[in-house]
Amino acid sequence: MTQTFDITRTSRKILSQFLEKHSLEELNKIPEGFSNNLIWNIAHIVVVEQMLVYKLSGLPMNISDEMVEKYKKGTRPEHYVTQSEVDEIQSLLLKTIDQTKEDYGNTIFKNYQEYPTSTGFVIKSVEDALAFNYFHEGLHIGIMMNLRKFI
């Protein structure tokens, strides 16, 4: 599992670079033909990891319910994200995955509610969730690389 967490940390560092290299305006811009923006994708990644790993394990997530409601699957950017929100999302990138790694090491994930993903993969365990998560993050990083060409 060490490699799984290392891959996710690498992904999160790439996401952090997006936050550092783009202005608040660029992070919030939704280019023509797109349905979301850079900051939505980054926050969505944080939310999905927490939902896949913690919520489906029946455990409390390490993010607010408000954040979940704004960035869960099926949402779209509906407000201009402020710098303080960007700063919070930035801090959650590594904080959440570090907490997940610690909690996994402490074997707190005892139960898991099976979840069929929209890609057709059925997640049956927390290990499946962690593996699927870095696939999910990779998809969104690809979307973001395309998005940034138009901002």
Side-chain angles (χ1 to χ4, degrees), residues 11-22 26-28 36-49 67 71 85-86 88-94 96 136-137 140-141 143-144 147:
S11 168
R12 298 298 176 95
K13 288 177 183 175
I14 292 167
L15 294 168
S16 184
Q17 290 173 359
F18 274 90
L19 294 174
E20 293 164 5
K21 292 180 179 178
H22 294 281
E26 291 170 333
L27 292 171
N28 276 285
N36 54 47
N37 53 30
L38 293 174
I39 193 63
W40 182 91
N41 278 278
I42 295 169
H44 172 74
I45 284 169
V46 171
V47 166
V48 167
E49 183 268 335
M67 186 172 183
Y71 300 107
E85 289 172 289
V86 170
E88 178 186 8
I89 292 164
Q90 172 89 336
S91 76
L92 289 170
L93 280 173
L94 293 177
T96 52
H136 177 258
E137 292 194 15
H140 281 277
I141 288 172
I143 290 166
M144 291 170 61
L147 238 169

Side-chain angles (χ1 to χ4, degrees), residues 53-71:
V53 175
Y54 287 87
K55 185 173 184 178
L56 292 171
S57 293
L59 298 168
M61 294 181 285
N62 298 301
I63 56 174
S64 70
D65 291 340
E66 178 186 3
M67 186 172 183
V68 171
E69 288 306 309
K70 286 181 186 176
Y71 300 107

Side-chain angles (χ1 to χ4, degrees), residues 55-119:
K55 185 173 184 178
L56 292 171
S57 293
L59 298 168
M61 294 181 285
N62 298 301
I63 56 174
S64 70
D65 291 340
E66 178 186 3
M67 186 172 183
V68 171
E69 288 306 309
K70 286 181 186 176
Y71 300 107
K72 68 184 178 182
K73 181 181 175 182
T75 63
R76 297 179 62 164
E78 295 193 14
H79 75 287
Y80 190 87
V81 176
T82 65
Q83 186 60 52
S84 65
E85 289 172 289
V86 170
D87 294 344
E88 178 186 8
I89 292 164
Q90 172 89 336
S91 76
L92 289 170
L93 280 173
L94 293 177
K95 183 177 163 186
T96 52
I97 201 61
D98 289 346
Q99 186 64 54
T100 301
K101 182 178 181 180
E102 181 180 328
D103 289 343
Y104 185 82
N106 290 330
T107 62
I108 72 161
F109 303 105
K110 307 265 187 226
N111 302 306
Y112 198 82
Q113 178 184 333
E114 195 172 283
Y115 178 73
T117 68
S118 58
T119 61

